[in-house]
Amino acid sequence: MAKSPEQEHPVKAFGWAARDSSGHLSPFKFSRRATGEKDVTFKVLYCGICHSDLHSIKNEWGGAMYPLVPGHEIVGVVTEVGPKVTKFKVGDKVGVGCLVGSCHSCESCANDLENYCPKTIFTYNSKCHDGTMTYGGYSDIMVADEHFVVAIPDSLPLDGVAPLLCAGITVYSPLKHYGLDKPGLHLGVVGLGGLGHMAVKFAKAMGLKVTIISTSPSKKQEAVERLGADSFLVSHDQEQMQSAMGTMDGIIDTVSAVHPLLPLLALVKNDGKLVMVGAPDKPLELPAFPLLMGRKVVGGSLIGGLKETQEMINFASKHNITSDIEVVQMDYVNTAMERLAKADVRYRFVIDIGNSLKSAA
Amino acid sequence: MAKAPCQEHPQKVLGWAAVDKSGTLSPFHFSRRENGDDDVTVKIQYCGVCHSDLHLAKNDWGFTNYPVVPGHEIVGAVTKVGSNVNKFKVGDRVGVGVIVDSCRSCECCQQDLENYCPQVIFTYNSHSKDGSKTYGGYSDFIVVDQRFVLRFPEGLPSDAGAPLLCAGITVYSPMKYYGMTEPGKHLGVAGLGGLGHIAVKLGKAFGLKVTVISSSPRKEAEAIQRLGADSFLVTSDLVKMKAAFGTMDYIIDTVSAVHPLAPLISLLKLNGKLVTVGLPDKPLELPIFPLVLGRKLVGGSDVGGMKETQEMLDFCAMHNIAADIELIRMEEINTAMERLAKSDVKYRFVIDVGNSLPSRY
């Protein structure tokens, strides 16, 4: 008979889980493995709420295995390390993002692209090598192989750095891969949410000119005055969009709802790149003429490998970049999810796990 | 009052034109300019029948300006050169492709990318700088600025070489630009027609492994035995298609009808590139998840600039690459168009203009 989540592993753990596709989260007792020889165990202090958490708990992408403990923007302080761990010691500030395992032998893994390994093990809603479920960061402790743990420099506040572990790397990786990281280039960012606002910050730090393309005129002032965007286009304003045609070297599109690509293709210059990091669940219309007539490209990108994630954290530390967050208590999480569904957050909720996740008696 | 086509210019020309969206071609008297100081006059010997000729004759794309004289794969002999012409002399064997002029001053033109110039003038169905229409190679001679005339290298046959001027450059340019030239890599060629069969030949010349992806099983034997493709996938054979998922570094998609992109994207490896060079008249459906999960991209490309077209001709001459053609007489063009619409040609019709169209020369 299969063991219950509480009995699967030797170390007691406590978190909040969704039990079904209503997505309602509630207290959940489970367990984690003992610290293995290459493992790092840490007390979770903060966990970002990623839109993927919402998609997952509601089973919007299919494949949800309940009970599901989300959370893959996890930061905390090391409490134990295995004997073969070389990079971390007790007391270090660390983070875990979207991945906790990969095959280590395929071409992707060999190229520090664990995120593209066909056998990736995700931080939650995945199966470990031993067949047990992975549970995410809406919980009191995490145990992960040191390969999948990143060091958080002291200079960065833990709460503000948590969202970098998914939102940050999700935009940083394509900026580098698609060559949209050079001073003087003009980058468009579609959607000003968790991902979008990180793209603005990274791109400005890399010396790019940044234009935000958004459906919400109300976001303009803050985008320009606080985030440092150079300009702001309201996507349904034909005149504004037309005046910006053919001006951008690339666009990072963070929108996961279905939306038209044609106006975005028109904004990029010849040889320009439209990079999708949001993933609409239905195909989008791709008009051939604009793609061909300007030798343009539509590409995708998915988070980043561990080496690049560490590089991104170090870059953020150097340039003082953290996420703009709203810190919430654990028991606010269902309300936070409702607000997230309406994009009512500037720009990432972060759960104060350390101070508000109380173990049930 | 607008002048009639045969009166617009001083030199009388005989060609064949389509006058309405039936696309039926028939003899048509028009005129061309005198040979100017920078011009070259070419007595046309051969003209390839490109699928674009069919699309435009029938107004498939909605912007045909009747009467239209198609033809942009033109090979012939120089009969006159202007006083400023230094690249050509009377008697030279030359080609004229898809473009006969551009603005000459924009960034594209300065980078030898006249094909992407916003003011590019196409060989037919365009307007010259003086406002008059351009007429293509289904005619007895053409007058073109020397910048847009190509030297036909020794060893490249005039008839079988003619299709290189559009079909050839259309696949050569993206193969270079998107890096599809690394020996040992795996190229997929979707569609085995005028463009596709040349892509196979070029792919083999670049040292690639080449797989043809086609909806026509009957094309397999020839693809492998005559064209040199390494393997052949029938798109409706789901088992074989699935077995080939994740095996291709890049795909050139030459299919001009609306078709699903999802299976092609699945054939690509991580970081794979799908480059589309066909021009369907409706948008294609682009699934985003596979692009994101495999960091794949879909790009476009449209013919090539003059410098690159010359480079392509020289490359083909050196590697003995020409099109596989069926030579027809001018008066057989309508039957050829009907057969082209059914892909019933191996793999390009070429009109023997010199021997079948009465000429003032």
Side-chain angles (χ1 to χ4, degrees):
Chain A
M1 194 179 86
K3 289 189 175 168
S4 73
E6 264 188 275
Q7 294 164 329
E8 265 178 336
H9 298 291
V11 179
K12 296 222 177 307
F14 176 69
W16 278 47
R19 283 359 192 244
D20 56 43
S21 62
S22 70
H24 183 83
L25 294 143
S26 57
F28 171 65
K29 288 186 201 169
F30 64 107
S31 52
R32 293 207 188 268
R33 64 179 186 262
T35 308
E37 49 182 22
K38 293 205 231 157
D39 283 340
V40 172
T41 295
F42 63 96
K43 175 176 159 52
V44 178
L45 293 177
Y46 294 99
C47 187
I49 298 183
C50 178
H51 209 126
S52 304
D53 296 348
L54 178 55
H55 289 308
S56 298
I57 59 181
K58 293 190 152 218
N59 198 20
E60 282 170 14
W61 292 328
M65 294 181 280
Y66 298 106
L68 195 162
V69 176
H72 55 205
E73 296 179 342
I74 316 167
V75 294
V77 175
V78 177
T79 54
E80 194 180 350
V81 296
K84 290 195 172 162
V85 168
T86 55
K87 296 194 287 177
F88 303 102
K89 60 186 190 307
V90 171
D92 282 351
K93 290 191 204 155
V94 295
V96 164
C98 304
L99 310 171
V100 290
S102 68
C103 82
H104 296 297
S105 56
C106 70
E107 213 176 311
S108 298
C109 287
N111 285 308
D112 300 310
L113 293 170
E114 299 90 348
N115 46 322
Y116 297 114
C117 167
K119 297 187 175 148
T120 343
I121 300 172
F122 295 108
T123 301
Y124 63 83
N125 199 48
S126 249
K127 283 281 164 76
C128 280
H129 295 302
D130 65 4
T132 58
M133 271 271 284
T134 55
Y135 295 108
Y138 294 16
S139 62
D140 55 351
I141 61 163
M142 267 301 288
V143 184
D145 184 295
E146 81 168 320
H147 186 89
F148 295 90
V149 177
V150 297
I152 309 288
D154 282 329
S155 57
L156 290 175
L158 277 184
D159 53 0
V161 90
L164 270 59
L165 293 163
C166 178
I169 186 59
T170 296
V171 295
Y172 180 90
S173 186
L175 285 174
K176 305 289 285 187
H177 178 71
Y178 288 95
L180 297 170
D181 57 344
K182 299 174 188 33
L185 293 183
H186 183 183
L187 178 76
V189 177
V190 185
L192 192 60
L195 265 55
H197 91 290
M198 291 304 324
V200 177
K201 293 190 182 205
F202 281 130
K204 289 309 297 171
M206 291 169 181
L208 280 75
K209 171 179 168 181
V210 177
T211 294
I212 291 174
I213 303 131
S214 169
T215 51
S216 321
S218 59
K219 295 185 176 182
K220 178 174 179 177
Q221 191 177 1
E222 189 167 295
V224 174
E225 288 171 19
R226 231 168 53 73
L227 291 177
D230 297 278
S231 54
F232 190 99
L233 289 176
V234 178
S235 48
H236 51 257
D237 184 328
Q238 302 273 34
E239 222 179 283
Q240 276 185 28
M241 292 288 279
Q242 258 217 327
S243 70
M245 268 172 57
T247 59
M248 300 178 193
D249 296 282
I251 290 177
I252 296 272
D253 185 351
T254 73
V255 175
S256 58
V258 167
H259 59 286
L261 293 182
L262 180 56
L264 302 178
L265 283 172
L267 289 174
V268 299
K269 296 174 182 173
N270 281 3
D271 296 345
K273 298 152 194 178
L274 171 54
V275 183
M276 315 295 292
V277 292
D281 55 3
K282 293 188 180 27
L284 301 182
E285 271 192 6
L286 178 69
F289 269 83
L291 202 67
L292 269 70
M293 296 308 182
R295 199 162 60 175
K296 300 178 184 182
V297 144
V298 180
S301 183
L302 176 72
I303 40 177
L306 271 307
K307 183 174 174 206
E308 194 171 37
T309 304
Q310 186 67 68
E311 177 192 299
M312 177 273 305
I313 295 282
N314 298 345
F315 180 87
S317 172
K318 185 169 160 195
H319 294 272
N320 227 16
I321 295 171
T322 53
S323 174
D324 289 5
I325 63 173
E326 183 178 327
V327 181
V328 298
Q329 305 286 290
M330 189 74 241
D331 58 11
Y332 189 77
V333 71
N334 290 306
T335 310
M337 287 297 187
E338 283 168 29
R339 286 179 52 198
L340 178 57
K342 293 179 288 190
D344 173 24
V345 55
R346 281 203 174 96
Y347 289 99
R348 212 41 157 200
F349 290 111
V350 171
I351 308 169
D352 183 354
I353 302 270
N355 288 319
S356 68
L357 180 69
K358 296 164 187 49
S359 295
Chain B
M1 191 178 86
K3 287 189 175 169
C6 56
Q7 291 168 331
E8 266 180 325
H9 298 291
Q11 301 203 74
K12 300 233 174 301
V13 192
L14 173 64
W16 277 50
V19 298
D20 58 39
K21 63 183 183 37
S22 71
T24 305
L25 294 138
S26 55
F28 172 68
H29 294 275
F30 63 105
S31 52
R32 294 197 188 275
R33 64 178 185 265
E34 286 291 5
N35 199 83
D37 294 337
D38 299 305
D39 286 338
V40 172
T41 296
V42 181
K43 172 171 161 49
I44 298 173
Q45 317 254 237
Y46 298 102
C47 187
V49 178
C50 178
H51 208 126
S52 305
D53 297 348
L54 177 57
H55 284 308
L56 280 155
K58 293 189 146 225
N59 198 18
D60 285 345
W61 295 327
F63 54 79
T64 301
N65 189 356
Y66 292 109
V68 61
V69 174
H72 54 205
E73 296 180 339
I74 306 165
V75 180
V78 175
T79 54
K80 209 180 270 184
V81 296
S83 54
N84 291 337
V85 171
N86 39 34
K87 294 200 296 178
F88 304 102
K89 59 186 191 308
V90 171
D92 280 352
R93 208 159 60 104
V94 295
V96 174
V98 180
I99 305 168
V100 291
D101 212 343
S102 67
C103 83
R104 329 270 186 107
S105 57
C106 71
E107 215 176 301
C108 294
C109 288
Q110 285 175 22
Q111 290 173 21
D112 301 308
L113 293 170
E114 299 90 344
N115 48 321
Y116 296 114
C117 168
Q119 286 163 66
V120 63
I121 297 171
F122 297 112
T123 302
Y124 66 88
N125 199 51
S126 252
H127 284 97
S128 288
K129 286 174 178 162
D130 67 5
S132 60
K133 270 175 54 162
T134 56
Y135 296 106
Y138 294 14
S139 58
D140 56 340
F141 72 95
I142 190 166
V143 180
V144 183
D145 184 292
Q146 65 167 330
R147 180 172 166 160
F148 298 90
V149 177
L150 295 139
R151 177 185 36 81
F152 232 63
E154 194 73 47
L156 197 60
S158 297
D159 52 359
L164 295 174
L165 293 161
C166 178
I169 186 58
T170 296
V171 293
Y172 181 89
S173 185
M175 289 175 82
K176 301 282 291 197
Y177 178 69
Y178 288 98
M180 305 180 178
T181 54
E182 257 183 287
K185 297 278 187 179
H186 187 182
L187 169 73
V189 177
L192 193 62
L195 267 53
H197 89 291
I198 295 179
V200 173
K201 296 186 184 200
L202 287 171
K204 294 311 297 171
F206 288 137
L208 305 169
K209 172 181 167 182
V210 178
T211 295
V212 171
I213 307 146
S214 170
S215 54
S216 318
R218 60 183 168 84
K219 294 186 179 182
E220 176 165 5
E222 194 169 287
I224 302 213
Q225 287 155 21
R226 234 167 53 74
L227 294 177
D230 297 280
S231 55
F232 191 96
L233 278 178
V234 179
T235 42
S236 56
D237 184 339
L238 298 178
V239 171
K240 289 223 174 101
M241 284 288 282
K242 206 166 163 184
F245 278 1
T247 60
M248 298 181 195
D249 295 282
Y250 8 77
I251 293 176
I252 287 264
D253 184 359
T254 72
V255 176
S256 64
V258 169
H259 59 288
L261 293 180
L264 298 178
I265 293 172
S266 298
L267 290 170
L268 292 168
K269 294 177 181 173
L270 172 66
N271 295 329
K273 300 169 189 173
L274 170 60
V275 180
T276 176
V277 291
L279 281 168
D281 56 356
K282 291 186 181 25
L284 299 171
E285 273 194 1
L286 180 66
I288 305 295
F289 256 91
L291 290 187
V292 169
L293 294 176
R295 198 161 63 177
K296 300 176 184 179
L297 65 80
V298 178
S301 183
D302 183 32
V303 300
M306 300 314 297
K307 182 173 174 208
E308 193 171 38
T309 306
Q310 187 66 66
E311 177 193 298
M312 177 275 305
L313 288 174
D314 293 335
F315 180 88
C316 288
M318 184 154 66
H319 291 269
N320 238 7
I321 294 173
D324 291 4
I325 65 168
E326 186 177 326
L327 203 59
I328 59 166
R329 295 178 59 81
M330 188 74 245
E331 63 267 22
E332 294 172 314
I333 185 62
N334 289 308
T335 310
M337 288 293 197
E338 283 167 29
R339 286 179 52 199
L340 178 57
K342 292 180 288 191
S343 292
D344 175 23
V345 55
K346 283 192 175 101
Y347 291 95
R348 219 20 164 214
F349 290 111
V350 171
I351 308 169
D352 186 354
V353 176
N355 286 323
S356 64
L357 188 69
S359 165
R360 54 178 264 174
Y361 289 96

